[in-house]
Amino acid sequence: MERLDIDHFLKLLEDAKREVETNLNHLRDELMGLERSEIRDEGDIASMSSERHRYALLIDHCKEELKEIEHALDKIENNREEFGVCEMCQDEIPIERLLVKPFALYCISCREMIEEEKSK
Ligand SMILES: [Zn+2]
């Protein structure tokens, strides 16, 4: 794709990947620390399970993001002309959006539609 500086995006994606992986390791450590912490009473059990739930959600979110990043990297590697193209409507994703989120799979309007579907 001509309009995009692929090398620049490759670097952005690699940075993003490293960052998410670091976050993920950190979250897993925290979660492990939580598992090891001492339980003294009912209140501890309740707060621990809500904490654990919170971590589980964050970890899921990171994993999801990591998958999207790897997908984008894979596209650059194998399907370069599809990088930066919305997977739903096949329109070009605006470069401003890609600079903020280089692993975006959809344009903003498609993303909104998907989010809306999900929240139903
Ligand atoms: Zn779209």
Side-chain angles (χ1 to χ4, degrees), residues 94-106:
I95 195 147
E96 306 76 53
R97 173 157 163 76
L98 284 175
L99 285 171
V100 177
K101 194 180 173 188
F103 48 92
L105 300 181
Y106 308 106

Side-chain angles (χ1 to χ4, degrees), residues 77-89:
E77 198 105 334
N78 302 309
N79 243 331
R80 192 160 290 197
E81 61 281 356
E82 277 182 28
F83 176 73
V85 175
C86 174
E87 292 200 345
M88 197 115 109
C89 66

Side-chain angles (χ1 to χ4, degrees), residues 24 27-28 31 55-64:
L24 203 52
L27 286 167
R28 283 183 173 139
L31 188 60
Y55 279 117
L57 285 180
L58 287 170
I59 287 172
D60 275 357
H61 176 78
C62 282
K63 278 193 198 154
E64 202 59 41

Side-chain angles (χ1 to χ4, degrees), residues 16-32:
K17 185 177 171 185
R18 220 168 305 136
E19 199 181 305
V20 175
E21 278 170 349
T22 308
N23 273 343
L24 203 52
N25 284 335
H26 181 70
L27 286 167
R28 283 183 173 139
D29 282 352
E30 298 265 309
L31 188 60
M32 278 221 299

